[in-house]
C-alpha cells in the first residue's frame, strides 16, 4: 500500500476537470424548472416507449435488445474496451517468463595442429522476471485513460440502444400512418365507386353528361393508384421493422390497423435532469477524461524508466546434472533507462496528446449544444403540430360538410359533377393531411423522448388525426 501511495504522489500530468459549457437558463420552447446538467450513467431498463400505450410496439421493443445486430456489434466494442483496460492494468504487476533451452555447438581450434574441438552440449532451465516501477505515473495514467474509455464505450452502448429503440418506434408509427392513409384511400375508393355508379345512372337517365362520368372514373382510378402506392410504403416500413428486431423480412408480418393513430397522453413536462440522461453527452465527456489522462501518460514517458529484473535457473552441459546445486545461477538488479536524444519525438507525442484533448473538449461542447438544439426542435415540433392538428381537424369537418352539400346539390341537379369532384378531393386531402400531422406528432414525441436520453418526465402530447 505504501509504495502505491508513493507512486500515486509522483504522478505527473494534469488532473481532470470537466470542461465548462455555456448553457441557457431555460428552454425557449418550454416553460418549467431547469438546472445546468452534468452527465450521469445511463439509466438501464428504461422502457420509455410504454407511454404510448401500444402493446404491439411494446412487444417489438422487447426484441431489440436480444436480436438487433447493430447492438451486438456495439456490445462487442464495449467488451473490447474492457479487455484493453484489463491489459493496461496488468502493467502494474511483474512479467514472469519460463525458459528451457538445449544447444549443441562446436568451433574451430585455436591452432591448425590441434585439429577441431569436439562438439559441446548445453542445457538450461530458468525463469526471468521484470517489473517497471511507475515512478512518474505513466502506467497509472494509461490505466485511468483505459477506464475512462470503458465508461465512454458503455455510454456508446446505451446511446446505440436508445437509438435502436427510437428508430423502431418511429418506423412503427410511420407504418401505422401508412395503414391509416391506406384505410382513408380505401374508404375514398368505395365512396368514389358509389359516385361513379350514381353518375352512370344519371347519364343513362339523361340528366348527366359523359364528361361527368369521365371525371368520376378518373377520380376513382387515381385514388386506387394512390392506395396501391400507400401499400408499397407500408411494406417497406414492415421490412425495416423486421431488420431492427433481427428477423428476415420474409418471416415477419404485422397485421394492418385501419383505425386512427394511437393517441399519446395530453401534457409534456421536462425533468431538471434532462441532459444528465443523454448517453452521447456522457460518452463525449468521458472521452475528454481519457484524453486528459493520455496527456499525463505522454508527459510521464519523457522521464527515465526505473525497472527491476531478476533471473534464476540451471545451466549444465549434461542434462542429467541440470537440476543440481552447482548448476544453479541467479541475478537481480535495477535498471534505469533514460532517453538522451530522440529528435523531439516524445515532446511531439505530448503535443499530439494535447491536441487530442482539445479536440475531445470541442466535441463534448458541440455535443451539448446539439443536444439543446434537438430538444428545442422537437419541443417546437410537438407544440406546433398540436396546434396544426386542431386546425386541421376543423378543416376535415368543414370539408366533410362541403362534400355532403355538393353531393346533395348534384343529386338535385343544381350543380355539375365538377363541384362534387372538387369537394371530395378537398375532403380526402384534409383527411390525409390530418393523418400526416398526427404521424409527425408521434414521431416528434419519439424524438423528444430520445432527446431526453430515454426519460420522459410526465406525459406526451395527444395525437390528433
Amino acid at each position: 500500500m505504501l509504495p502505491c501511495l508513493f507512486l500515486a504522489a509522483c504522478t505527473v500530468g494534469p488532473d481532470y476537470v470537466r470542461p465548462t459549457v455555456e448553457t441557457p437558463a431555460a428552454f425557449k420552447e418550454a416553460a418549467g424548472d431547469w438546472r445546468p446538467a452534468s452527465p450521469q450513467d445511463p439509466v438501464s431498463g428504461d422502457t420509455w416507449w410504454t407511454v404510448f400505450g401500444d402493446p404491439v410496439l411494446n412487444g417489438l421493443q422487447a426484441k431489440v435488445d436480444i436480436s438487433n445486430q447493430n447492438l451486438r456489434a456495439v456490445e462487442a466494442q464495449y467488451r473490447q474496451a474492457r479487455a484493453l483496460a484489463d491489459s493496461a492494468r496488468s502493467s502494474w504487476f511483474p512479467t514472469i517468463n519460463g525458459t528451457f533451452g538445449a544447444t549443441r555447438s562446436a568451433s574451430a581450434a585455436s591452432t591448425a595442429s590441434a585439429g577441431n574441438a569436439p562438439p559441446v552440449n548445453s542445457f538450461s532451465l530458468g525463469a526471468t522476471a521484470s517489473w517497471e516501477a511507475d515512478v512518474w505515473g505513466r502506467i497509472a495514467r494509461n490505466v485511468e485513460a483505459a477506464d475512462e474509455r470503458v465508461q465512454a464505450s458503455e455510454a456508446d452502448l446505451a446511446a446505440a440502444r436508445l437509438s435502436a429503440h427510437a428508430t423502431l418506434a418511429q418506423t412503427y408509427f410511420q407504418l401505422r400512418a401508412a395503414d391509416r392513409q391506406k384505410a382513408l384511400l380505401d374508404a375514398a375508393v368505395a365512396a368514389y365507386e358509389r359516385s361513379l355508379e350514381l353518375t352512370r345512372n344519371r347519364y343513362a337517365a339523361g340528366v348527366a353528361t359523359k364528361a361527368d362520368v369521365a371525371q368520376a372514373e378518373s377520380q376513382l382510378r387515381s385514388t386506387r393508384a394512390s392506395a396501391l402506392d400507400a401499400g408499397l410504403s407500408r411494406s417497406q416500413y414492415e421490412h425495416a421493422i423486421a431488420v431492427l428486431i433481427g428477423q428476415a423480412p420474409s418471416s415477419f408480418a404485422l397485421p394492418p390497423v385501419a383505425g386512427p393513430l394511437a393517441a399519446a397522453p395530453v401534457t409534456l413536462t421536462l425533468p431538471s435532469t434532462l441532459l444528465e440522461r443523454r448517453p452521447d453527452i456522457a460518452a463525449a465527456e468521458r472521452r475528454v477524461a481519457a484524453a486528459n489522462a493520455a496527456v499525463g501518460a505522454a508527459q510521464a514517458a519523457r522521464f527515465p524508466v526505473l525497472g527491476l529484473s531478476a533471473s534464476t535457473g540451471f545451466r549444465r552441459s549434461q542434462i542429467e546434472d541440470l537440476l543440481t546445486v552447482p548448476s544453479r545461477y541467479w541475478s537481480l538488479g535495477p535498471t534505469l533507462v533514460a532517453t538522451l536524444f530522440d529528435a523531439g519525438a516524445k515532446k511531439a507525442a505530448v503535443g499530439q496528446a494535447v491536441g487530442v484533448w482539445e479536440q475531445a473538449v470541442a466535441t463534448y461542447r458541440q455535443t451539448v449544444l446539439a443536444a439543446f438544439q434537438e430538444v428545442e426542435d422537437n419541443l417546437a415540433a410537438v407544440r406546433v403540430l398540436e396546434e396544426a392538428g386542431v386546425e386541421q381537424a376543423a378543416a376535415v369537418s368543414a370539408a366533410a360538410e362541403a362534400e355532403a352539400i355538393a353531393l346533395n346539390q348534384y343529386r338535385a341537379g343544381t350543380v355539375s359533377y365538377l363541384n362534387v369532384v372538387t369537394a371530395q378531393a378537398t375532403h380526402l386531402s384534409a383527411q390525409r393531411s390530418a393523418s400526416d400531422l398526427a404521424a409527425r406528432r408521434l414521431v416528434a414525441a419519439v424524438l423528444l423522448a430520445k432527446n431526453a436520453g430515454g426519460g420522459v418526465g410526465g406525459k406526451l402530447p395527444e395525437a390528433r388525426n
Side-chain angles (χ1 to χ4, degrees):
M1 179 62 71
L2 289 177
C4 293
L5 293 175
F6 170 74
L7 295 178
C10 297
T11 301
V12 300
D15 292 330
Y16 176 64
V17 177
R18 179 180 293 121
T20 58
V21 291
E22 184 178 352
T23 58
F27 288 110
K28 180 174 67 174
E29 300 292 343
D33 295 334
W34 187 88
R35 65 180 177 82
S38 58
Q40 293 183 347
D41 290 332
V43 178
S44 61
D46 188 8
T47 55
W48 52 267
W49 52 85
T50 57
V51 72
F52 295 100
D54 191 317
V56 177
L57 175 61
N58 296 343
L60 293 171
Q61 295 283 15
K63 299 178 182 179
V64 170
D65 289 337
I66 300 172
S67 303
N68 186 277
Q69 297 305 308
N70 289 331
L71 280 184
R72 289 190 175 185
V74 181
E75 286 172 354
Q77 292 175 346
Y78 171 62
R79 290 192 293 271
Q80 292 173 40
R82 291 188 60 178
L84 289 173
D86 292 339
S87 176
R89 197 169 286 105
S90 68
S91 299
W92 288 112
F93 303 94
T95 300
I96 301 175
N97 297 311
T99 61
F100 174 76
T103 61
R104 182 175 176 81
S105 60
S107 61
S110 59
T111 63
S113 61
N116 293 328
V120 177
N121 296 325
S122 177
F123 301 92
S124 63
L125 177 67
T128 61
S130 60
W131 177 70
E132 178 183 340
D134 194 24
V135 177
W136 313 110
R138 183 184 65 84
I139 296 176
R141 290 301 190 187
N142 282 332
V143 171
E144 180 184 351
D147 287 340
E148 296 294 350
R149 292 189 188 102
V150 170
Q151 294 183 28
S153 183
E154 184 180 10
D156 285 339
L157 177 57
R161 181 175 290 114
L162 174 61
S163 179
H165 285 295
T167 301
L168 175 58
Q170 291 177 69
T171 308
Y172 176 79
F173 287 130
Q174 287 167 334
L175 178 141
R176 291 309 183 204
D179 282 346
R180 178 60 174 166
Q181 292 281 355
K182 183 70 164 54
L184 291 172
L185 290 166
D186 287 344
V189 166
Y192 296 166
E193 286 174 345
R194 292 191 297 270
S195 295
L196 176 59
E197 182 180 2
L198 171 65
T199 306
R200 284 173 174 168
N201 292 336
R202 289 173 60 83
Y203 174 71
V207 294
T209 66
K210 185 65 175 178
D212 291 343
V213 176
Q215 285 177 334
E217 186 171 359
S218 174
Q219 183 183 40
L220 172 60
R221 292 188 179 278
S222 176
T223 307
R224 280 177 179 168
S226 297
L228 291 172
D229 184 59
L232 171 61
S233 299
R234 204 259 184 204
S235 296
Q236 292 173 337
Y237 289 133
E238 188 176 65
H239 300 162
I241 290 173
V243 172
L244 285 168
I245 62 175
Q247 288 187 222
S250 60
S251 64
F252 176 78
L254 280 176
V257 176
L261 297 180
V266 177
T267 59
L268 173 76
T269 59
L270 293 176
S272 60
T273 58
L274 176 69
L275 295 183
E276 296 180 11
R277 296 172 55 86
R278 291 271 303 224
D280 57 337
I281 293 179
E285 185 269 334
R286 280 155 194 178
R287 285 192 172 89
V288 176
N292 183 84
V295 171
Q299 291 176 345
R302 303 181 66 181
F303 293 89
V305 176
L306 175 63
L308 180 67
S309 61
S311 63
T312 184
F314 301 89
R315 187 182 299 117
R316 202 69 171 178
S317 60
Q318 302 294 326
I319 192 169
E320 59 270 18
D321 297 328
L322 183 62
L323 300 178
T324 60
V325 173
S327 304
R328 188 175 62 183
Y329 71 91
W330 64 271
S331 66
L332 175 67
T335 58
L336 186 65
V337 179
T339 301
L340 301 180
F341 177 75
D342 66 358
K346 291 186 177 180
K347 181 179 179 181
V350 174
Q352 180 188 12
V354 171
V356 171
W357 173 81
E358 291 173 344
Q359 179 184 0
V361 170
T363 300
Y364 167 65
R365 288 172 174 160
Q366 182 61 31
T367 302
V368 174
L369 287 174
F372 282 118
Q373 178 189 351
E374 291 169 355
V375 171
E376 296 282 12
D377 286 349
N378 286 292
L379 279 173
V382 167
R383 175 178 55 79
V384 172
L385 291 173
E386 179 182 11
E387 296 171 357
V390 173
E391 295 296 326
Q392 192 61 37
V396 170
S397 297
E401 183 179 1
E403 179 186 357
I405 292 172
L407 193 56
N408 289 334
Q409 289 175 336
Y410 176 68
R411 289 193 180 103
T414 59
V415 297
S416 70
Y417 191 73
L418 179 60
N419 296 71
V420 177
V421 170
T422 302
Q424 288 177 329
T426 301
H427 185 203
L428 178 59
S429 176
Q431 287 178 303
R432 296 185 68 182
S433 295
S435 179
D436 180 65
L437 286 171
R440 289 170 60 192
R441 281 190 79 225
L442 281 171
V443 169
V446 169
L447 291 175
L448 188 56
K450 178 185 177 184
N451 299 154
V456 178
K459 301 178 179 180
L460 293 170
E462 181 183 3
R464 298 177 186 270
N465 58 108

